[in-house]
């Protein structure tokens, strides 16, 4: 048993994350903001690539076969056994219900068989904690931009557990927009890294004028918006995606020298790589400028000097660089997690669980999984 369970100070958490297409387990020990990540195992389900997106049924089955060895490996890497653990945590919402249930059920079974307490963690609260595992300064108060394949949230983090949800997407998540645009440009899934790489080569491939030929409107971004406007912090990416679709189709029509019926040509086909790179760059610029501006609005409005990024899209170097440049204008610093902690992982779940555990929270063995669930600790704006 660790010191925590014997009345001491530190707590050791075993956490399981299975909300989407990563089976992950982590062991973390600590107290308050002083934590040590003892192990992190992430198994990505590559099988979804052939379908161009996550297939929920396949995800659940893959979690089922992976969860036991992944947890065993995390305990092994940490050099501990279940006897050394104080609490078992699992992501219980939001996510794919069948996928979440695998982690939740296994956590409950382990808790029941060992007599240890179990905790359910909100996946997006996990993302809020992720960056603090690497950057000691990524602690509240801060403005958080969480951008993943399923979510786009702008949150003011006054303290751990005290959150103001300022903005969200009205339609597609930022990562989803990257993935759909990648498909239109004939790039593989998941598309974000491919779009970013292609966009980076726009100037080299296309030359100055061609690289600047495309410019897409910044969605829901007008200079005259005020904090009272419903659109001040929210974003929307489906119109931007349609603008990309129209640009690709126009290029395809030009290539065949006449009107082509919608969908008559395969995504990205007939469009030279230089043009596709220019379109990728223009898309990324519009999306990045929108996210950066909305995040800066939130930071300035609440007087925050720290901006914390999270979610898979936080791997995007152009977004991070643009956010840093904008934050410099108000004396702010930007903390972006390493890719391993930006994308789904159990380390962030363990960190959030430690916070909840220290507050005395425990879940009953009737803990269930939920596809959607508001962030805990929401304050009114
Ligand atoms: O957080 P995450 O791993 O999983 C979800 O919870 O969704 O995020 C995955 C998303 C995908 O949409 C992927 O295309 C996007 O993150 N992504 C990127 C980059 N790397 C991953 N988007 C833009 N640029 C990147 N470099
Ligand atoms: Zn996530």
């Amino acid at each position: 048993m660790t010191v925590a369970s014997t009345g001491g100070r530190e707590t050791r958490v075993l956490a399981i994350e299975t909300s989407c297409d990563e089976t992950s387990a982590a062991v973390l020990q600590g107290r308050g903001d002083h934590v040590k990540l003892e192990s992190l195992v992430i198994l990505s389900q590559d099988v979804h690539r052939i379908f161009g997106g996550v297939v929920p049924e396949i995800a659940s089955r893959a979690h089922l076969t992976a969860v036991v060895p992944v947890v065993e490996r995390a305990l092994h890497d940490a050099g501990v056994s279940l006897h050394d653990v104080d609490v078992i945590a699992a992501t219980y919402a939001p996510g794919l219900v069948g996928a979440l249930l695998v982690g939740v059920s296994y956590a409950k079974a382990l808790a029941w068989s060992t007599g240890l307490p179990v905790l359910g963690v909100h996946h997006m609260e996990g993302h809020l904690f992720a960056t603090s595992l690497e950057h000691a300064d990524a602690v509240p108060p801060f403005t958080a931009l969480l951008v993943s394949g399923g979510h786009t949230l702008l949150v003011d983090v006054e303290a751990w557990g005290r959150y103001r949800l300022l903005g969200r997407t009205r339609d597609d998540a930022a990562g989803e927009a990257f993935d759909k645009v990648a498909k239109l440009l004939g790039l593989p899934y998941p598309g974000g890294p491919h779009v970013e790489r292609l966009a980076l080569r726009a100037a080299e491939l296309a030359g100055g004028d061609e690289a600047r030929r495309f410019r897409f409107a910044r969605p829901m971004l007008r200079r005259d918006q005020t904090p009272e406007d419903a659109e001040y912090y929210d974003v929307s990416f489906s119109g931007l995606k349609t603008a990309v679709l129209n640009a690709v189709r126009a290029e395809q029509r030009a290539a065949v020298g006449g009107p082509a019926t919608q969908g008559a040509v395969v995504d990205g086909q007939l469009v030279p790589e230089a043009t596709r790179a220019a379109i990728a760059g223009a898309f990324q610029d519009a999306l990045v400028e929108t996210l950066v501006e909305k995040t800066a609005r939130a930071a300035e409005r609440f007087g925050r000097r720290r901006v914390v990024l999270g979610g898979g899209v936080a791997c995007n170097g152009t977004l991070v660089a643009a956010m840093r440049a904008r934050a410099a204008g108000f004396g702010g610093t930007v903390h972006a997690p390493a890719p391993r902690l930006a994308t789904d992982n159990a380390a962030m779940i363990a960190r959030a669980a430690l916070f909840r555990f220290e507050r005395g929270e425990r879940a009953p063995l009737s803990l269930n999984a939920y596809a959607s669930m508001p962030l805990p600790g929401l304050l009114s704006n």
Side-chain angles (χ1 to χ4, degrees), residues 20-22 123 127 147-150 175-176 178-179 190-193 196 284 311-313 315-317 342-344:
C20 191
D21 58 346
E22 260 90 30
H123 181 80
H127 276 298
V147 272
S148 70
E176 197 179 351
F178 267 102
D179 294 338
E196 180 178 21
Q284 186 173 262
V313 184
C315 299
N316 188 285
T343 56
D344 290 347

